[in-house]
């Protein structure tokens, strides 16, 4: 090793003297400290999400012995929250953190990599990314924008949302004013819902004043923090529209490719680790927060009626087909997603579902 390093160093010196252009050899790249900037779509201090982005940076610095240092900026600190994709694409910053459905207007096919109504749960979407070709396809979708994506987190199955009235059938969506983003928003719009997109800071006040009748947010951990239980009587489940939303960390292609191979590998490994960490934080945090909402705040926890969910499922299928038909890449991703969902569906029925059916009584949510 030492002899090879020596030869490389002397080779570089000779080339430099001769004025020949050389690429930075691995030995010099290993001595270099990379100082990067990351911008995120999240508010400062947002549990698991902004904290997850900061954890990613910290862990990467740890595992690389300080060879890569990333300064993390929350949404609005360096660029607007929804300016993250452009900032990374254009090379203003080296990396960013958010969710791919935020860029639906720019990259419609990207939506399938964050959340699909009645789509894959966290286990399923991770299986698709790492073992089913999903990540390769995601890379292909972002390639024209000079961006390399990695899954960086997962919210777990979200909640259906907070409603100021009971939801008995699909008809109850007609005329309802609801804050719900993404493909889920398109689905309820088909049912006659007036969909609004409010920034995080305006949702509670709008719900409390009746400007909107309903909102979805994330899960109990984040919903408790927002205080929605003070503004709406009914807390519905399940989050059919976001059954396992994947969060992303994205890299400017040039910046990523300039890194030595071992740092690229470190990035990939830490992203995967953060993905797992995030899901664990959501699972444990949601469990505790749900109990607090029920026991301390007497929240009326309600399951959507089966018939209402079935109607939403039909509308979702129509919506997905329509959205996919809008461009060839969306169609390609949609077909791949459907194929993988079908592939694991049968197994899920005899494993996860059958197991939950057996243990369901032990986790009954009925108030004592
Ligand atoms: Ca949500």
């Amino acid at each position: 090793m030492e002899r090879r390093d020596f030869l490389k160093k002397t080779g570089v010196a000779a080339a430099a003297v001769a004025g020949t252009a050389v690429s930075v050899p691995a030995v010099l790249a290993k001595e270099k400290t990379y100082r990067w900037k990351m911008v995120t779509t999240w508010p400062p201090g947002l549990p698991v999400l902004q904290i997850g982005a900061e954890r990613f940076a910290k862990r990467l610095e740890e595992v690389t012995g300080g060879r890569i240092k990333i300064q993390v900026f929350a949404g609005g600190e360096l660029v607007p929250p929804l300016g993250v994709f452009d900032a990374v694409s254009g090379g203003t910053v080296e990396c960013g953190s958010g969710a791919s459905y935020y860029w639906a207007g720019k990259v419609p096919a990207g939506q399938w990599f964050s959340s699909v109504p009645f789509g894959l749960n966290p286990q399923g979407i991770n299986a698709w990314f790492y073992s089913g070709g999903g990540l390769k396809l995601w890379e292909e979708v972002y390639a024209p924008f000079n961006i390399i994506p990695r899954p960086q987190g997962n919210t777990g199955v979200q909640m259906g949302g907070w409603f100021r009235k009971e939801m008995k059938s699909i008809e109850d969506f007609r005329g309802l004013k609801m804050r719900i983003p993404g493909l889920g928003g398109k689905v309820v719009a088909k049912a006659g819902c007036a969909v609004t997109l409010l920034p995080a800071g305006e949702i509670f006040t709008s719900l409390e004043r009746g400007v909107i009748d309903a909102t979805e947010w994330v899960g109990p951990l984040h919903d408790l923090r927002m205080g929605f239980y003070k503004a709406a009587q009914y807390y519905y489940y399940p989050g059919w529209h976001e059954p396992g939303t994947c969060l992303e960390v994205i890299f400017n292609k040039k910046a990523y490719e300039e890194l030595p191979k071992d740092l690229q590998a470190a990035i990939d490994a830490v992203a995967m680790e953060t993905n797992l960490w995030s899901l664990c934080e959501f699972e444990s945090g949601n469990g505790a927060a749900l109990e607090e909402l029920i026991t301390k705040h007497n929240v009326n926890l309600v399951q959507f009626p089966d018939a209402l969910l079935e109607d939403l499922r039909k509308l979702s299928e129509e919506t997905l087909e329509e959205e996919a038909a809008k461009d060839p890449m969306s169609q390609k991703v949609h077909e791949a997603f459907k194929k993988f969902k079908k592939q694991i569906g049968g197994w899920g029925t005899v494993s996860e579902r059958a197991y939950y059916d057996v243990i369901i009584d032990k986790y009954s949510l009925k108030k004592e």
Side-chain angles (χ1 to χ4, degrees):
M1 275 306 285
E2 279 175 14
R3 185 168 174 272
R4 203 169 69 192
D5 288 351
F6 172 77
L7 289 175
K8 274 185 182 165
K9 279 182 179 169
T10 46
V12 170
V17 168
T20 315
V22 288
S23 60
V24 180
V27 67
L28 289 188
K30 278 187 176 168
E31 287 162 8
K32 184 176 167 182
T33 299
Y34 292 83
R35 292 178 194 281
W36 280 12
K37 288 187 176 71
M38 175 191 277
V39 289
T40 83
T41 57
W42 319 116
L46 188 66
V48 199
L49 302 163
Q50 177 63 19
I51 299 304
E54 288 164 11
R55 186 185 187 279
F56 171 84
K58 184 171 162 278
R59 285 287 293 147
L60 192 57
E61 191 172 332
E62 279 172 8
V63 304
T64 62
R67 285 166 58 214
I68 179 159
K69 295 178 193 293
I70 302 180
Q71 194 181 0
V72 183
F73 297 87
E77 287 180 352
L78 198 61
V79 303
L82 297 182
V84 167
F85 193 85
D86 285 346
V88 177
S89 177
T92 310
V93 294
E94 291 82 4
C95 53
S97 174
S100 61
Y101 55 21
Y102 290 142
W103 332 122
K106 204 177 296 281
V107 201
Q111 296 177 94
W112 275 262
F113 302 104
S114 52
S115 186
V116 172
F118 296 96
L120 296 164
N121 67 5
Q123 200 161 314
I125 202 163
N126 281 330
W128 185 46
F129 286 139
Y130 300 126
S131 303
L135 181 54
K136 278 265 169 293
L137 200 52
W138 195 1
E139 287 175 344
E140 191 182 327
V141 169
Y142 276 6
F145 303 90
N146 298 313
I147 286 181
I148 294 173
R150 293 286 177 265
Q152 191 207 21
N154 196 297
T155 66
V157 180
Q158 297 198 5
M159 286 295 286
W162 299 82
F163 293 75
R164 286 162 68 93
K165 65 166 193 175
E166 249 187 294
M167 299 299 286
K168 292 177 182 160
S169 79
I170 194 80
E171 283 304 313
D172 289 318
F173 276 103
R174 192 166 301 283
L176 187 89
K177 292 189 287 285
M178 181 170 183
R179 182 264 173 204
I180 172 170
L183 290 165
K186 290 199 167 80
V187 173
V188 291
K190 258 182 173 305
C193 181
V195 173
T196 61
L197 293 172
L198 296 168
E202 289 174 29
I203 305 174
F204 177 80
T205 315
S206 300
L207 188 63
E208 192 186 33
R209 291 182 186 165
V211 176
I212 54 172
D213 309 306
T215 186
E216 70 81 58
W217 183 233
V218 191
L221 176 66
H222 288 73
D223 293 9
L224 172 65
R225 197 171 180 260
M226 292 285 264
F228 292 136
Y229 61 88
K230 296 175 205 157
Q233 295 84 342
Y234 302 99
Y235 194 20
Y236 273 94
Y237 68 95
W240 56 273
H241 62 303
E242 297 197 60
T245 304
C246 173
L247 315 165
E248 66 183 12
V249 57
I250 52 176
F251 302 93
N252 177 272
K253 190 165 181 282
K254 186 164 171 279
Y256 182 95
E257 287 177 350
E258 270 174 10
L259 293 176
K261 292 282 178 229
D262 67 324
L263 287 188
Q264 290 180 2
I267 279 182
D268 294 353
V270 173
M272 202 168 179
E273 182 204 77
T274 313
N275 191 18
L276 174 63
W277 171 86
S278 158
L279 183 59
C280 296
E281 289 290 299
F282 271 111
E283 285 298 299
S284 60
N286 278 334
L290 182 62
E291 198 170 331
E292 185 177 337
L293 282 167
I294 295 169
T295 56
K296 196 171 161 194
H297 302 296
N298 290 312
V299 162
N300 196 0
L301 187 71
V302 205
Q303 186 169 7
F304 284 123
D306 289 348
L308 185 153
L309 283 174
E310 197 44 45
D311 287 339
L312 284 173
R313 186 209 289 265
K314 282 180 201 142
L315 287 179
S316 294
E317 278 173 18
E318 286 172 32
T319 305
L320 288 170
E321 293 300 329
E322 284 165 17
E323 291 302 307
K326 286 179 181 171
D327 73 282
M329 188 52 97
S330 292
Q331 193 72 52
K332 185 176 175 179
V333 176
H334 179 50
E335 293 305 327
F337 188 96
K338 271 199 299 190
K339 192 175 166 208
F340 190 76
K341 190 176 163 220
K342 191 161 179 280
Q343 180 188 320
I344 63 168
W347 168 237
T349 305
V350 301
S351 59
E352 296 294 311
R353 183 184 161 178
Y355 180 64
Y356 273 112
D357 283 348
V358 168
I359 63 165
I360 195 79
D361 285 340
K362 292 179 187 167
Y363 291 99
S364 172
L365 294 167
K366 286 198 181 80
K367 278 189 264 185
E368 305 262 312

